[in-house]
Amino acid sequence: MIHLIFSEQDVMAKEAASKLIKKDFPEKTEFNFVSFDMLVTPLSEAARECEMLSLSFDRKCIVLENCQFLKSKTKWKPSKDDRPEDLLEYLRHPNPDVDLYFLLYDEAVDTKNLFYKAIVEAGGKVDEVKTLTPDGWLKYIPSYFAKRGVNIDFQATRELSLRVDGDYGRFKNEAEKLIAYSSGEDITIATIEEMVAPYVEDDIFKMSNALTRGDNHQALKIYRDLKSRNSIEEITLIGLLAKQFVFLDQVRFLDAKGYDSRMIGQELGCKPIRAEIAIKSLFRITEQRLSRIMEQLYATDKSILSGRVDGEYAFTLFLTNFRLA
C-alpha cells in the first residue's frame, strides 16, 4: 500500500499518518518500521529499504518525511546521490509487503511531477489534511477539550484560537498544558490570559509596521507591552524582527515584478492584507535602507551575544535610534 499525505502543518500530516499506521502496525519495532527524513536521505536509499523484506514480520512500514520532491511551486533538483530513477522504478513495481507513506508538509502537491504520477499509477492513495478555518477552530477547540473531560467556555475558546493563530502544533502544546493546569475545572478567559502567551509574531509585525511609519514611540510601546506579558529574550525578538524585514524585501521584489497583494500572498504563504500593508510600507523605505537595517540588527545581536551590552538596553537603543533615511 502506498499513501501520500500532505498538509501545510506538519503536525497535522504526522497525526493523520500515525492514525493510519497504528491500525496495521500496533506494535512498531526497528524490524517492521523505518522512517527517513528526505531532506538528508538519498532517494536511492529509501528505494533500497523498500525492496528489503522484514525477517521477523510479514509486513513492513516505511515513512518518508519532508518529501520536497513532491512540493508544488518548487523546482526540485536531485543531488548526485539521489538517483530518482531508483525510487521511480520501485513505484512501478512496489513491494506488496511494504506500506509506504510519503509525507509532504506543504499546502499543495505538484500533480505534474513524475513521482506524483508514479504514486497514483501504482494505486496509491492521496490525502490532503486541510487546516482549520477561524470558524472551524471555534468548533474544534471545545470538542478537543470535551473529549479529555474538560470544559472550555466560548470567550476562552475564542482567545485561545487567536493566541495560537492557526498553528496546530502550538495548539496541541498549549492544550495539554491547560488540561494539566485545570485539573478538571472549567477553562475560562482568565486561565488563557494567565497560561497562554499572546501570538508574538503578530506583535513583531505591528512593531515593524510602526518602525516603517517612523513611529519609534509606538514600536517601543509594543516592545514594553510584549516584555510585560512574556519572558522572551531580545535575541529571539531580533530574529523575528529580521524575518519581518526579509519579508518586506521579498514583497519589494515581487511587487517590482508586477505581483498584486493576492499573488504575493499566494507566493509567500501569507494573508493578502499583510502583503498589502507591506507594499504601503515600501513607499517609505528603500532597498538600500532595508540592507542597512539588517546590518544594524546583526550588530545588535552580536553585541548582546558577546556580553558587551545588556539585551534590553541594546534592543531599546535600536528601536529608539531607528531611522528610515
Side-chain angles (χ1 to χ4, degrees), residues 231-271:
S231 57
I232 189 167
E233 297 291 333
E234 278 69 24
I235 293 297
T236 303
L237 292 176
I238 289 170
L240 292 170
L241 195 55
K243 280 176 61 178
Q244 287 298 329
F245 284 110
V246 168
F247 171 73
L248 270 181
D249 195 41
Q250 292 171 328
V251 171
R252 177 200 58 76
F253 175 77
L254 294 174
D255 182 55
K257 289 179 67 175
Y259 283 43
D260 61 23
S261 58
R262 181 186 58 81
M263 295 165 65
I264 292 173
Q266 290 177 340
E267 186 71 22
L268 299 181
C270 69
K271 295 175 182 177

Side-chain angles (χ1 to χ4, degrees), residues 42-154:
L43 298 179
S44 55
E45 185 177 339
R48 189 163 54 249
E49 184 64 41
C50 290
E51 295 285 3
M52 296 173 62
L53 297 175
S54 172
L55 300 177
S56 306
F57 295 86
D58 294 333
R59 296 185 66 78
K60 182 168 69 171
C61 179
I62 299 174
V63 177
L64 309 183
E65 290 194 60
N66 288 308
C67 294
Q68 298 294 92
F69 49 87
L70 289 164
K71 185 176 180 180
S72 184
K73 301 179 186 176
T74 299
K75 291 185 178 180
W76 176 79
K77 293 182 180 180
S79 68
K80 62 179 181 179
D81 299 321
D82 265 322
R83 291 182 56 83
E85 63 272 17
D86 289 357
L87 185 56
L88 288 169
E89 180 59 28
Y90 171 79
L91 290 171
R92 294 186 189 103
H93 308 284
N95 186 339
D97 297 322
V98 168
D99 286 4
L100 177 59
Y101 285 82
F102 293 85
L103 300 187
L104 172 63
Y105 309 137
D106 195 69
E107 63 181 353
V109 62
D110 183 1
T111 58
K112 295 182 180 179
N113 81 31
L114 293 176
F115 293 103
Y116 178 84
K117 290 179 180 178
I119 289 169
V120 173
E121 288 170 5
K125 189 175 181 182
V126 179
D127 282 329
E128 176 186 5
V129 185
K130 294 184 178 180
T131 56
L132 292 165
T133 63
D135 286 341
W137 274 108
L138 296 181
K139 296 175 182 177
Y140 179 77
I141 290 174
S143 173
Y144 183 91
F145 282 97
K147 288 177 182 177
R148 288 152 183 81
V150 179
N151 181 59
I152 179 169
D153 67 35
F154 178 74

